[in-house]
Amino acid sequence: MHVLYFAWMRERVGYATEEIDPGAARTARELVETLKTRSEGHAAAFEDLRAVRCAVDEEMGDLDMPIAGAREVAFFPPVTGG
Amino acid sequence: MHVLYFAWMRERVGYATEEIDPGAARTARELVETLKTRSEGHAAAFEDLRAVRCAVDEEMGDLDMPIAGAREVAFFPPVTGG
Amino acid sequence: MDGAAALPKVSVQREDFDLGAEQARLAGTSRDIGAIVSFTGLVREITGQGAIESMELEHWPGRTEKALAEIVAEAEARWPLNGVRAIHRYGRLAPGDRIVLVLTASRHRQAAFDAAAFLMDYLKIQAPFWKKETGPEGGRWVDARDADETAAARWRTASEG
Amino acid sequence: MDGAAALPKVSVQREDFDLGAEQARLAGTSRDIGAIVSFTGLVREITGQGAIESMELEHWPGRTEKALAEIVAEAEARWPLNGVRAIHRYGRLAPGDRIVLVLTASRHRQAAFDAAAFLMDYLKIQAPFWKKETGPEGGRWVDARDADETAAARWRTASEG
């Protein structure tokens, strides 16, 4: 599964994308639990989940979105464009 | 007293400005009664007073505005700019 | 503001205007503007009386400029604006021609949007302009729209009610 | 519309844009547009963290264009628009630089104003852009504002409540 990080989450993780095996994770939130253990950077990126948004196969949603069969999950802080 | 007409009121009266003696007229409405008698064009211009706006010395208001001491009274239909 | 205070806020003119140039002039070298809203009004070909060939805009020279300046001053009193500009044309115009331009600059977008909408709503009912359309059946003075009174009234409710 | 249908409605680009040229392109040779509203967003120098030197706008290539296209389609479904255009820049910007342009054309002014405000409100909360400001104390990611959620919510109330 392809995982994307943006903005300060990307900076904390240390890179923008990675390939991971989601294992038994059924939702984005469960995937986060796996990702947090990968490095201190990952743990820092996911330190406050209230500040984390996600998209599964480019569909924006919350952390309880199912990820079964997804090719890509993206994590990012609330957007600040415009 | 200087009287101004705009838009279709000007067209009906036949000219844009005239000098008149307001006589005993105390308000714009009383002045209208005098003006209506000046020509058929004037009568046509003031035929429906609901469609007439006025300004006394450039101050917009309704036909009951006092005109005592005024140098100029303007009559016009509702504005349609923008 | 590099002399921005010397720029006219209001113009009543026969000539066309250049949106890009006007906005660049309004922004000047400011680093404090976060939002600029522009409104451009254009002559539509199909109106209440069918396809028109042209439009003649009459106005009250002197009083028109004063009316626009009053509306601009009211907008500046209501919203924190870094800049404001109103241009209204008069004379003969054809379908597709620009009639009016309103520009508002502020730190934040809501003030710029609201001030521009306010300016247009008030200009519609307070600036002494009268439109005469010429179509296949001759000339016809445009009627004032009740909707314009309603649009302007919402600003009174918002501030006084 | 002389090929107007072929004009892109959405652009995400590093380059600056030209308001006058974009508006002229949107209007084309139409004789049915009565109102065009533009919104230009600019980089302000003084922000929550003092005077900034520059700003870096990160985005999600591909997904950003899709987000803007969805917001544009929603505006077209809600208001009778003759044309709409959204341009958002990314990359490094300095105070005073343009960030975003939204243009809406309609027969009447209220639709053009509302659609432009809607586009900006939704873009603020739905388009995947992230701002990082660089000031005297280094870089800092800009926090999302609760006010932006509130601004967008008014359109949900208006259409669904």
Side-chain angles (χ1 to χ4, degrees):
Chain A
M1 179 178 281
H2 205 52
V3 179
L4 309 183
Y5 304 101
F6 292 98
W8 54 259
M9 295 192 68
R10 171 181 52 73
E11 288 184 343
R12 289 186 188 178
V13 167
Y15 41 78
T17 68
E18 63 184 328
E19 288 297 326
I20 62 118
D21 175 355
R26 288 162 303 174
T27 66
R29 193 182 299 277
E30 287 176 11
L31 181 63
V32 167
E33 291 312 309
T34 306
L35 293 170
K36 277 167 84 168
T37 65
R38 291 175 71 85
S39 76
E40 279 184 26
H42 283 78
F46 289 110
E47 164 184 273
D48 179 3
L49 292 187
R50 289 171 307 177
V52 174
R53 303 289 177 270
C54 75
V56 177
D57 285 340
E58 299 203 351
E59 208 55 53
M60 312 280 192
D62 62 29
L63 292 176
D64 295 315
M65 285 181 96
I67 59 167
R71 288 173 298 99
E72 177 197 275
V73 178
F75 294 102
F76 44 88
V79 301
T80 55
Chain B
M1 180 179 282
H2 205 52
V3 179
L4 309 183
Y5 305 101
F6 292 97
W8 53 258
M9 295 192 68
R10 171 181 53 72
E11 287 184 344
R12 290 186 189 178
V13 168
Y15 40 80
T17 69
E18 63 184 328
E19 288 297 326
I20 62 118
D21 176 353
R26 288 162 303 173
T27 65
R29 192 181 301 276
E30 287 176 13
L31 181 62
V32 166
E33 291 311 308
T34 306
L35 293 170
K36 279 166 84 167
T37 65
R38 291 175 70 85
S39 76
E40 278 184 28
H42 284 78
F46 290 108
E47 164 183 271
D48 179 3
L49 292 186
R50 287 171 307 176
V52 174
R53 303 289 178 270
C54 74
V56 177
D57 286 340
E58 299 204 349
E59 207 57 50
M60 311 281 191
D62 62 29
L63 291 175
D64 295 314
M65 285 182 94
I67 59 167
R71 288 173 299 98
E72 176 196 277
V73 178
F75 294 101
F76 44 88
V79 301
T80 55
Chain C
M1 298 293 273
D2 294 2
L7 295 175
K9 291 179 183 170
V10 162
S11 299
V12 180
Q13 62 191 43
R14 213 176 258 285
E15 302 72 38
D16 196 7
F17 48 80
D18 180 330
L19 167 62
E22 291 295 338
Q23 177 154 323
R25 212 168 289 151
L26 190 75
T29 55
S30 171
R31 299 284 176 266
D32 189 41
I33 294 172
I36 303 181
V37 169
S38 79
F39 176 89
T40 306
L42 304 147
V43 180
R44 289 176 54 215
E45 183 168 40
I46 309 296
T47 71
Q49 71 157 336
I52 66 163
E53 287 149 24
S54 67
M55 168 184 285
E56 185 77 27
L57 256 161
E58 178 173 335
H59 80 117
W60 185 353
R63 185 64 184 86
T64 313
E65 291 81 350
K66 198 172 137 187
L68 294 180
E70 286 166 357
I71 298 164
V72 162
E74 178 68 23
E76 290 179 312
R78 290 186 184 216
W79 291 278
L81 301 179
N82 299 56
V84 56
R85 180 89 172 104
I87 305 176
H88 204 301
R89 297 176 69 188
Y90 64 90
R92 194 178 188 78
L93 299 173
D97 282 354
R98 284 173 279 266
I99 306 173
V100 59
L101 174 68
V102 154
L103 276 170
T104 55
S106 186
R107 286 188 178 177
H108 301 291
R109 72 185 186 283
Q110 199 56 53
F113 270 121
D114 287 349
F118 168 88
L119 287 165
M120 281 309 304
D121 284 347
Y122 266 55
L123 183 156
K124 282 266 179 189
I125 64 160
Q126 292 192 344
F129 287 97
W130 298 274
K131 286 176 182 155
K132 186 178 192 177
E133 298 170 346
T134 299
E137 276 143 57
R140 181 178 153 277
W141 290 94
V142 173
D143 286 327
R145 294 168 64 235
D146 288 342
D148 288 330
E149 285 290 342
T150 309
R154 68 185 162 135
W155 302 108
R156 285 193 282 275
T157 311
S159 71
E160 289 159 24
Chain D
M1 296 293 271
D2 295 1
L7 294 173
K9 292 180 181 170
V10 162
S11 300
V12 179
Q13 61 189 46
R14 212 175 259 285
E15 302 71 39
D16 196 7
F17 49 79
D18 179 330
L19 167 62
E22 290 296 338
Q23 178 154 324
R25 212 167 291 153
L26 191 74
T29 56
S30 171
R31 299 284 176 266
D32 188 41
I33 295 173
I36 305 181
V37 169
S38 79
F39 176 89
T40 306
L42 304 147
V43 180
R44 289 176 54 216
E45 183 167 40
I46 309 296
T47 70
Q49 71 156 333
I52 65 163
E53 287 149 24
S54 68
M55 168 184 285
E56 184 77 27
L57 256 161
E58 179 173 333
H59 80 115
W60 183 354
R63 185 64 183 84
T64 313
E65 290 81 351
K66 197 172 136 186
L68 294 179
E70 286 166 357
I71 299 165
V72 162
E74 178 68 23
E76 290 178 312
R78 290 185 183 217
W79 290 280
L81 301 179
N82 299 54
V84 56
R85 179 87 171 104
I87 304 176
H88 204 300
R89 296 177 69 189
Y90 64 90
R92 194 179 187 78
L93 300 173
D97 281 354
R98 284 173 278 266
I99 306 173
V100 59
L101 174 68
V102 154
L103 276 170
T104 55
S106 186
R107 285 189 179 176
H108 301 292
R109 70 186 187 283
Q110 199 56 53
F113 269 121
D114 286 350
F118 168 87
L119 287 166
M120 282 308 304
D121 285 348
Y122 266 56
L123 184 156
K124 281 266 179 189
I125 63 160
Q126 292 193 344
F129 287 98
W130 298 274
K131 286 177 183 156
K132 186 178 192 178
E133 298 170 347
T134 300
E137 276 143 55
R140 182 179 153 278
W141 290 94
V142 173
D143 287 327
R145 294 169 65 235
D146 288 343
D148 287 330
E149 286 290 342
T150 310
R154 69 186 163 134
W155 301 106
R156 284 192 284 272
T157 311
S159 71
E160 290 158 25

